Amino acid sequence: MNATEWKEKLSAIRDSFSVSINNVQTENPEAIELRFLGRKGELALLLRDLKDIPIEERKALGALGNTAKEEMMVRLGALKGVPASAGPAAKPNLDLTLPGWPFPKGTLHPLTVTLNRMTECFAKLGFSVAEGPLIEEDYFNFEALNFPPFHPARDMQDTFYVDVKDASGKDMLLRTHTSPVQIRTMKNQEPPIRIISPGRVFRSEAVDASHSFAFHQIEGLYVDKNVSMADLKWTLEEFMKDLFGSSAKVRFMPSYFPFVEPGAEVEVSCVFCRGKADGPRCPVCKGTGWIELLGAGVVHPNVLKACNYDPAKWSGFAFGAGIERFAMLLFGISDMRMLYENDLRILKQVQ
Ligand code: PHE
C-alpha cells in the first residue's frame, strides 16, 4: 500500500463510520465503537499498515489517522450523551456520588505482625536481618554448631531428612532451628556481627496447642571483642521491655545447647498476671509469674573455630526464640493451631 492508497482507505473508513452513526438505530454505539475503534477495528488495522509506508510520509499519515480517531471518538461520545470535554473514555450516566463497592481489606497475619515488631525492636539495637535456606546441610544445622555425629543432643530436635545428598554425601534435612544462619553469616563476614535471622523451621513433632511440625524462629547473634553474658542479658531485657512494656523483667535459668556455653533458658515476667501471687492462678504462667521464652547463651569456642574466628580474640552471644509463642502472648491466642487455620475471626483481630 502506498500513501495515496492509504489516504483513500482512511476516507473510506470515515465515510462508512458516518453512515453507521447516522443509522444508529440499527447499529448500537458500542458495536460501532468496536468496529471502528476497537483493538482490531478498522482504524487500528489501517494504522498498523503504516509500517509498510516510507518513513518520510508515515508521520503525516499517522497524524491524519489520529485526527480521524479523535473525531470519531467525539462523535461517538456525543451519541452516548457524554460531553465532548469529558472525553469518550468517561462512561455515560456515571454517578460519582454513589457509594463505592465495599472492598474487603486484607490484614497482616499475626505472625507477620509479631515478627515485624520483634525485628523493629532489634533494629533499634543495631541488629540487621540475615537469612538462610530451609533445606540445610547436616554440617550447618548440626556439625558446625558443635553437635558431633551421633551426639545425643541431636535427638533433642526430631529431624526431617530429605532424600537428597549434600556434597559430602550426607542426607540434606529441613532445618530444625535458625541457628545454621549463625554459621553461614560468620563464614561470610568478618566480625563485628550483629544479626537477627527470622524464618521457618521444621521438626517431626505431633501437633498440639503448643507444638507444630513447621513453625517460626528468630535467631540472634552478636560477635565482637569482649562480648559477655551481661551484654546478652542487657540486650534481651531491652528487647522485652520494648515489646511487652517497661515493667517486663527477665531471668536466666541454666540450660544446655551444644553451641553455647554457658547456656540459658530465658524467662520473662508474666505479662498477664504480673506475677501477683494472691489472685486466681494465671493460666499463662501457671501461677509461677514467669514465662519461658527463648534459649540463649555465650557462643561456644568450637563454633567460633568452625567459622575460622579466633576464640582468643572474639566472643559472642546467641539466642533463639519461637515467634509463635510471642504471637500467642502478644495477642492472647491460647492455641498455636489457631495461627495456621486462617479463621478470619482470628486474623482480623490483629491490626
Ligand atoms: N537453636 C535453639 C533451639 O532451637 C535455640 C538457641 C539459639 C539456643 C541460640 C541458644 C542460642 O532450641
Side-chain angles (χ1 to χ4, degrees):
M1 193 185 300
N2 64 30
T4 324
E5 285 164 350
W6 196 90
K7 274 195 223 162
E8 275 165 13
K9 192 100 190 276
L10 179 65
S11 77
I13 291 175
R14 291 171 87 160
D15 289 346
S16 53
F17 176 80
S18 293
V19 173
S20 296
I21 286 280
N22 294 333
N23 290 329
V24 73
Q25 287 90 337
T26 48
E27 262 188 278
N28 69 35
E30 280 75 24
I32 300 177
E33 185 168 359
L34 200 67
R35 178 174 154 206
F36 291 95
L37 298 172
R39 217 161 45 83
K40 290 188 179 153
E42 295 190 15
L43 197 62
L45 293 180
L46 186 68
L47 285 167
R48 230 167 280 166
D49 285 339
L50 277 176
K51 67 177 185 323
D52 303 327
I53 290 174
I55 187 95
E56 315 83 60
E57 292 167 305
R58 201 185 295 165
K59 231 177 154 179
L61 294 184
L64 276 183
N66 282 331
T67 315
K69 187 174 174 183
E70 273 159 31
E71 248 176 56
M72 290 181 186
M73 294 205 305
V74 171
R75 285 184 70 184
L76 264 170
L79 208 63
K80 292 194 208 162
V82 183
S85 61
K91 291 267 182 318
N93 307 323
L94 180 65
D95 183 352
L96 293 172
T97 64
L98 284 174
W101 292 104
F103 244 93
K105 200 156 54 90
T107 52
L108 293 176
H109 192 279
L111 283 173
T112 309
V113 175
T114 307
L115 175 58
N116 289 350
R117 286 199 200 165
M118 293 171 86
T119 309
E120 256 168 52
C121 296
F122 284 114
K124 285 186 224 165
L125 297 172
F127 287 78
S128 54
V129 175
E131 282 184 320
L134 305 187
I135 301 178
E136 198 40 289
E137 294 173 28
D138 182 280
Y139 176 78
F140 291 105
N141 196 82
F142 289 127
E143 204 174 320
L145 286 163
N146 198 31
F147 290 83
F150 309 112
H151 191 279
R154 288 183 177 226
D155 297 340
M156 283 162 65
Q157 309 188 350
D158 300 305
T159 311
F160 285 119
Y161 286 91
V162 181
D163 208 3
V164 175
K165 302 243 184 280
D166 62 26
S168 65
K170 290 203 177 121
D171 280 337
M172 302 275 284
L173 46 88
L174 299 185
R175 67 178 184 186
T176 58
H177 51 177
T178 41
S179 301
V181 185
Q182 290 187 31
I183 306 297
R184 289 184 175 274
T185 309
M186 284 192 271
K187 281 193 180 268
N188 276 325
Q189 286 175 35
E190 296 291 313
I193 283 180
R194 206 182 290 163
I195 53 132
I196 50 167
S197 182
R200 200 168 258 241
V201 301
F202 307 85
R203 288 185 198 177
S204 176
E205 276 179 0
V207 175
D208 66 22
S210 53
H211 293 91
S212 170
F213 52 85
F215 56 104
H216 299 78
Q217 283 191 335
I218 188 165
E219 190 82 8
L221 174 69
Y222 176 36
V223 182
D224 205 336
K225 288 185 176 135
N226 304 317
V227 178
S228 72
M229 198 77 168
D231 296 304
L232 171 63
K233 192 159 188 212
W234 181 87
T235 305
L236 291 179
E237 219 156 51
E238 285 302 301
F239 162 68
M240 298 291 187
K241 283 189 175 148
D242 197 354
L243 198 65
F244 292 119
S246 55
S247 62
K249 285 190 205 50
V250 170
R251 75 174 185 186
F252 280 39
M253 309 300 265
S255 185
Y256 174 75
F257 302 94
F259 37 95
V260 286
E261 180 58 38
E265 216 54 91
V266 183
E267 301 184 349
V268 70
S269 50
C270 183
V271 286
F272 292 97
C273 68
R274 311 222 169 267
K276 282 193 196 85
D278 45 349
R281 188 164 176 265
C282 170
V284 179
C285 67
K286 314 240 159 33
T288 62
W290 294 92
I291 305 169
E292 189 186 308
L293 271 186
L294 38 89
V298 172
V299 179
H300 196 291
N302 286 352
V303 174
L304 295 172
K305 276 187 227 156
C307 302
N308 292 324
Y309 285 12
D310 179 358
K313 191 169 167 199
W314 304 106
S315 54
F317 67 64
F319 56 85
I323 299 176
E324 276 78 356
R325 187 109 177 88
F326 279 86
M328 290 163 78
L329 289 178
L330 283 175
F331 302 118
I333 296 171
S334 57
D335 189 321
M336 191 159 152
R337 286 167 288 197
M338 290 179 183
L339 289 168
Y340 308 122
E341 282 167 353
N342 290 334
D343 184 330
L344 286 178
R345 289 167 302 179
I346 298 285
L347 300 184
K348 289 261 178 202
Q349 64 183 337
V350 175
Q351 301 295 325

